[in-house]
């Protein structure tokens, strides 16, 4: 990335953007959250619906965010103010900043668990443990009022420090080399997992769909996770797009990042579910699924001791490159809109998010009694941010590109870096104008039981 006259950094190469965007997309969402919610919502049917959302909604929204960022050269909030001054569109940016706050608070907690697992791996803590014992160790660790906070705070300090150092050094350098290594380790885990006794049942669970078992709530979660996993709906990629060179091809970037993200999630699923069934773990176990499953696999693997250490180090780094991109949304907003100095913005944002995260962490133990709509604080923040704020943000981003920005500006902005084929433009405009917004709206109505609630309200009035 080189500094330009206007003082705005730019990615120095095309690979810089792809690496940074993939670094943002690939993280705990793929390796922790995807297997855990796929397990909760019953497996293959959830996976297929998720893949459908990635294609029909995720990909077009990703391209939209990159277009908005590159055209405006602003953060998620300022972008809309610049492109359509004096209109309410900039509220999309406010949603994004709110979502970033909530997501990073619980994200930091889970990343902290990953750090703790580096230590568990180094000390060979799970040696000779049965699957039940591993599950107990994990359960009492996350419910502890102090231990998980320590690791969460360490993780948040690392995130804040990298954001202070700056976009280039922080993001570009690390993700290029390390993510391919993570990929290799996951593939090795896959090979071990599918050769375990009883692996077939896990593969069937992951790939053989039974749509009758999928609830509307599951469909809503699949939608929310498509946004979460691709880092969409809150302006992360608007902010990254604002650093992109005018000559880069945004379509290829969007396709490559989406493909890489989806492949990693599926490979993580292939590492987890065969093992889940082989070790008789409940697939719908919840937030701890990978943490109670993977130690069993590492123990049954030649070199498992080292692989386990490497895996959790790389998982933590993958989480870090994602966390940086979430924090960057808040920091860019503080610096560019509220005119607070970058260092102070970063310290402030990191501190506030860490505090909220502490409450999330405590909701696993001390505060577990406190529930809203049957969800503890951790799950509540996850639900509000991933299943509500991101899809709403994504819906408005699609509407913005489809209706306010329009076809001609899209052609001009996208064709900078390559030709735009007619059919591609038609499909893209159709998706952002109608398909994505309407689909998101319908999933909302069904997933949140809004129709039922309205009917109940009206019938109650009679
Ligand atoms: N996509 C990341 C993951 O899968 C998390 C993330 C980073 C994110 N930036 C985001 C999620 C922006 C939503 C919005 O782990």
């Amino acid at each position: 990335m080189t500094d330009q006259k206007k003082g705005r950094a730019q990615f120095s190469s095309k690979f810089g953007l792809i690496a940074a965007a993939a670094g943002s997309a690939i993280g705990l969402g793929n390796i922790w959250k995807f297997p855990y919610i796929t397990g909760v919502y019953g497996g293959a049917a959830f996976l297929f619906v998720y893949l459908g959302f990635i294609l029909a909604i995720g990909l077009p929204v990703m391209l939209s965010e990159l277009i908005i960022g590159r055209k405006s050269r602003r953060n998620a909030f300022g972008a809309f103010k610049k492109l359509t001054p004096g209109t309410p569109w900039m509220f999309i940016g406010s949603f994004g900043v709110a979502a970033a706050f909530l997501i990073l608070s619980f994200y930091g907690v889970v990343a902290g668990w990953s750090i703790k697992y580096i230590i568990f791996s180094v000390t060979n803590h799970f040696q000779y443990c049965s699957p039940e014992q591993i599950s107990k160790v994990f359960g009492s660790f996350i419910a502890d009022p102090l231990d998980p906070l320590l690791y969460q705070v360490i993780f948040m300090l690392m995130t804040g420090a990298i954001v202070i150092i700056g976009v280039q050094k922080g993001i570009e350098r690390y993700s290029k080399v390390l993510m391919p290594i993570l990929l290799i380790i996951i593939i090795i885990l896959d090979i071990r997992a599918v050769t375990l006794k009883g692996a077939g049942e896990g593969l069937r669970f992951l790939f053989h769909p039974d749509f009758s078992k999928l609830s509307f709530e599951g469909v809503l979660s699949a939608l929310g996770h498509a946004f979460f996993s691709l880092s969409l709906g809150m302006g992360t990629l608007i902010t990254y797009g604002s650093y992109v060179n005018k000559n880069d091809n945004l379509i290829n970037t969007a396709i490559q990042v989406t493909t890489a993200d989806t492949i990693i999630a599926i490979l993580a699923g292939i590492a987890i579910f065969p093992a889940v069934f082989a070790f008789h773990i409940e697939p719908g176990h919840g937030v701890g699924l990978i943490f109670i499953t993977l130690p069993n696999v590492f123990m049954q693997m030649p070199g498992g001791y080292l692989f386990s250490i490497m895996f959790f180090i790389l998982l933590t780094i993958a989480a870090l490159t994602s966390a940086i991109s979430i924090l960057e949304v808040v920091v860019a907003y503080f610096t560019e809109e509220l005119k607070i100095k970058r260092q102070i913005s970063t310290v402030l944002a990191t501190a506030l998010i860490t505090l909220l995260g502490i409450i999330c962490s405590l909701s696993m133990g001390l505060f577990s009694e406190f529930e809203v709509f049957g969800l503890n604080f951790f799950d509540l923040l996850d639900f509000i941010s991933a299943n509500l704020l991101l899809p709403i943000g994504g819906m408005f981003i699609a509407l913005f590109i489809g209706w306010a920005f329009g076809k001609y500006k899209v052609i001009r902005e996208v064709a900078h870096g390559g030709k735009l084929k007619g059919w591609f433009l038609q499909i893209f405009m159709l998706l952002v104008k109608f398909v994505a917004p309407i689909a998101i709206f319908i999933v909302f109505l069904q997933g949140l039981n809004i129709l039922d609630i309205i009917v109940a309200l009206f019938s109650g009035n009679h």
Side-chain angles (χ1 to χ4, degrees):
M1 219 175 297
T2 50
D3 277 341
Q4 281 204 313
K5 280 181 219 119
K6 275 195 268 166
R8 230 185 138 66
Q10 282 223 341
F11 288 111
S12 53
S13 68
K14 203 158 106 187
F15 193 62
L17 168 70
I18 293 181
S24 165
I26 297 164
L28 296 172
N30 310 61
I31 296 162
W32 158 71
K33 196 174 173 191
F34 170 75
Y36 126 56
I37 55 176
T38 302
V40 168
Y41 293 110
F46 177 87
L47 169 66
F48 285 101
V49 171
Y50 167 71
L51 292 177
F53 284 143
I54 291 273
L55 263 185
I57 301 178
L59 198 53
V61 171
M62 182 179 292
L63 186 54
S64 302
E65 285 203 22
L66 291 172
I67 292 174
I68 294 170
R70 183 163 74 179
K71 179 75 193 162
S72 66
R73 301 233 160 263
R74 289 287 189 285
N75 65 72
F77 193 84
F80 295 99
K81 247 178 34 188
K82 175 159 180 208
L83 295 179
T84 44
T87 61
W89 286 108
M90 65 185 184
F91 284 106
I92 301 178
S94 329
F95 262 87
V97 177
F101 246 95
L102 304 189
I103 291 180
L104 191 50
S105 64
F106 72 83
Y107 205 85
V109 174
V110 181
W113 300 348
S114 174
I115 298 181
K116 176 76 183 188
Y117 267 60
I118 301 174
I119 297 171
F120 276 154
S121 306
V122 171
T123 57
N124 220 346
H125 193 82
F126 295 118
Q127 206 182 11
Y128 311 123
C129 279
S130 66
E132 293 77 40
Q133 285 164 327
I134 293 173
S135 174
K136 278 214 187 88
V137 171
F138 175 76
S140 51
F141 162 63
I142 63 166
D144 191 277
L146 279 179
D147 207 19
L149 303 189
L150 173 68
Y151 300 99
Q152 177 219 347
V153 170
I154 292 175
F155 178 81
M156 292 305 299
L157 286 176
M158 294 198 294
T159 308
I162 294 175
V163 169
I164 286 186
I165 295 166
V167 180
Q168 177 196 6
K169 289 185 218 144
I171 303 167
E172 211 173 323
R173 222 178 266 167
Y174 302 107
S175 40
K176 278 185 210 175
V177 200
L178 295 172
M179 289 310 104
I181 306 180
L182 179 63
L183 178 65
I184 293 169
I185 297 190
I186 295 176
I187 292 174
I188 296 172
L189 268 171
D190 284 343
I191 296 170
R192 176 65 272 214
V194 298
T195 48
L196 287 167
K197 227 169 102 201
E201 210 179 328
L203 291 175
R204 219 167 301 123
F205 180 83
L206 187 58
F207 292 117
H208 190 81
D210 177 357
F211 287 96
S212 66
K213 287 215 188 98
L214 188 64
S215 60
F216 283 123
E217 194 195 318
V219 175
L220 176 62
S221 285
L223 176 70
H225 191 63
F227 283 97
F228 186 92
S229 191
L230 294 174
S231 301
L232 298 177
M234 66 175 214
T236 295
L237 293 180
I238 293 180
T239 311
Y240 277 19
S242 74
Y243 303 126
V244 183
N245 203 300
K246 283 283 173 211
N247 299 321
D248 281 355
N249 182 331
L250 297 182
I251 300 175
N252 285 353
T253 303
I255 291 177
Q256 284 168 13
V257 172
T258 304
T259 310
D261 186 76
T262 308
I263 288 176
I264 300 252
I266 293 177
L267 290 176
I270 297 176
I272 301 291
F273 287 106
V276 162
F277 283 88
F279 297 108
H280 307 291
I281 294 166
E282 166 59 38
H285 184 278
V287 292
L289 190 69
I290 72 157
F291 294 100
I292 64 173
T293 305
L294 288 179
N296 296 298
V297 185
F298 287 122
M299 271 192 294
Q300 299 225 350
M301 194 169 152
Y305 176 76
L306 280 182
F307 278 126
S308 175
I309 298 173
M310 273 161 55
F311 176 83
F312 286 110
I313 291 178
L314 291 170
L315 180 62
T316 306
I317 294 171
L320 202 53
T321 56
S322 302
I324 295 163
S325 76
I326 307 176
L327 188 58
E328 186 69 41
V329 171
V330 185
V331 171
Y333 170 73
F334 279 8
T335 33
E336 288 177 26
E337 301 305 316
L338 305 183
K339 309 285 179 221
I340 304 174
K341 277 211 188 103
R342 191 175 164 90
Q343 271 92 336
I344 300 176
S345 301
T346 312
V347 172
L348 201 67
T350 310
L352 292 174
I353 292 168
T354 307
L355 282 178
L356 197 59
I358 287 179
I359 305 177
C360 282
S361 183
L362 292 177
S363 75
M364 296 290 167
L366 214 55
F367 301 161
S368 60
E369 306 275 282
F370 174 77
E371 287 193 344
V372 182
F373 307 122
L375 301 173
N376 68 14
F377 195 68
F378 181 106
D379 293 332
L380 187 69
L381 291 201
D382 184 0
F383 185 84
I384 293 176
S385 53
N387 293 1
L388 301 184
L389 294 177
L390 297 182
I392 292 176
M395 179 167 87
F396 283 111
I397 287 167
L399 287 171
F400 177 82
I401 285 289
W403 300 93
F405 199 75
K407 186 163 136 188
Y408 296 104
K409 284 193 190 151
V410 168
I411 298 177
R412 238 181 297 149
E413 192 52 42
V414 177
H416 277 307
K419 286 196 212 87
L420 198 57
K421 297 204 178 69
W423 61 265
F424 181 88
L425 185 71
Q426 301 290 353
I427 294 180
F428 175 68
M429 291 312 287
L430 189 73
L431 289 175
V432 289
K433 273 180 128 162
F434 303 106
V435 177
I438 293 174
I440 294 171
F441 187 69
I442 294 175
V443 173
F444 257 79
L445 285 184
Q446 295 287 4
L448 297 173
N449 287 329
I450 290 176
L451 289 180
D452 291 352
I453 294 171
I454 293 172
V455 170
L457 277 180
F458 275 97
S459 54
N461 281 345
H462 285 305

